[in-house]
Amino acid sequence: MNQLSGRVAIVTGASSGIGYETAKLFAKEGAKVVVTGRRQDALDKLVNEIERGGGQAIAVAGDIREEQLARALVDTAVDRFGGLDIAFNNVGATGESVPVPDMSAQAWHAVLDTNLTSAFFGAKYQIPAMVKRGGGSIIFTSTFVSHTASFPGMGAYAASKAGLIGLMQVIAVEYGSHGIRANALLPGGTDTP
Ligand SMILES: NC(=O)c1ccc[n+]([C@@H]2O[C@H](COP(=O)([O-])OP(=O)(O)OC[C@H]3O[C@@H](n4cnc5c(N)ncnc54)[C@H](OP(=O)(O)O)[C@@H]3O)[C@@H](O)[C@H]2O)c1
């Protein structure tokens, strides 16, 4: 218990599933959490649950494809909770399931923007805040899909999630000497909304 006492965390994709439960666990372990997703009502429910359990959380609703949201999340962590130690960049969407030749450019970009470009926006603002704290932990939710097994119709999803692993490895070598750890989670099939 209280493994994260005094820490401040951002959790994306927090209005549902893995992100929702992670935000609750981080708070239970003592972290102050900034949670985000598009659905304000789901975030409000999460913040209420955390506060009822004695924790502290702030919801910042928005679309993860917008760079300004990444900045607002870090500003909230710093202004309201004093800094940033942990960023769980967990948001993800599978997009439409079609074979590669049938995939529209629009569908491709929608998945890449949600899963990969959002992680770049996040890291861009999270890393300087962590450097100011003397270190931190940045985590991306990738997937087992196309790493240990693959499925038809998931070209954009698999490419975006593989991209997260490349981004993570570069951050590790760029900022390891600043005390920042970079990791990717590759969950297996998980029963979520
Ligand atoms: N479940 C699995 O079997 C599994 C397996 C491997 C990897 N993963 C990965 O694990 C992560 C979490 O998955 P999950 O199953 O917990 O997903 P989920 O229940 O579908 O939740 C997805 C979350 O992402 C948010 N989101 C999606 N698009 C967004 C956007 N444009 N802007 C802001 N927020 C957005 C949703 O919030 P709003 O709807 O409120 O916007 C929601 O909070 C994802 O990255 C997923 O790819 C899941």
Side-chain angles (χ1 to χ4, degrees), residues 12-19 36-40 42-43 62-65 69 89-94 114-115 141-145 157 161 185-193:
T12 77
S15 55
S16 176
I18 293 169
T36 191
R38 285 167 299 187
R39 284 169 296 144
Q40 184 76 56
L43 295 174
D63 192 317
I64 207 73
R65 293 169 291 188
L69 178 64
N89 294 298
N90 163 73
V91 68
T94 49
T114 303
N115 296 355
T141 307
S142 180
T143 178
F144 76 100
V145 174
Y157 182 73
K161 294 294 189 174
L185 283 181
L186 282 66
T190 309
D191 187 8
T192 67

Side-chain angles (χ1 to χ4, degrees), residues 118-135:
S118 72
F120 155 64
F121 289 153
K124 179 175 170 174
Y125 295 98
Q126 292 156 5
I127 289 167
M130 289 179 185
V131 168
K132 282 188 190 149
R133 295 279 260 198

Side-chain angles (χ1 to χ4, degrees), residues 12-135:
T12 77
S15 55
S16 176
I18 293 169
Y20 195 98
E21 295 303 321
T22 301
K24 285 203 297 184
L25 182 60
F26 280 4
K28 196 172 155 194
E29 291 289 348
K32 297 170 185 167
V33 286
V34 179
V35 295
T36 191
R38 285 167 299 187
R39 284 169 296 144
Q40 184 76 56
D41 55 342
L43 295 174
D44 289 344
K45 181 170 169 279
L46 172 60
V47 170
N48 281 338
E49 271 188 60
I50 289 172
E51 288 178 346
R52 275 206 310 277
Q56 290 185 66
I58 298 171
V60 180
D63 192 317
I64 207 73
R65 293 169 291 188
E66 302 291 336
E67 181 171 354
Q68 65 203 31
L69 178 64
R71 186 199 298 258
L73 292 168
V74 173
D75 286 349
T76 302
V78 172
D79 296 345
R80 302 283 296 278
F81 291 148
L84 180 66
D85 305 289
I86 302 161
F88 184 39
N89 294 298
N90 163 73
V91 68
T94 49
E96 64 179 78
S97 179
V98 290
V100 170
D102 299 333
M103 191 178 294
S104 67
Q106 190 185 12
W108 168 269
H109 285 298
V111 172
L112 270 286
D113 287 351
T114 303
N115 296 355
L116 183 57
T117 306
S118 72
F120 155 64
F121 289 153
K124 179 175 170 174
Y125 295 98
Q126 292 156 5
I127 289 167
M130 289 179 185
V131 168
K132 282 188 190 149
R133 295 279 260 198

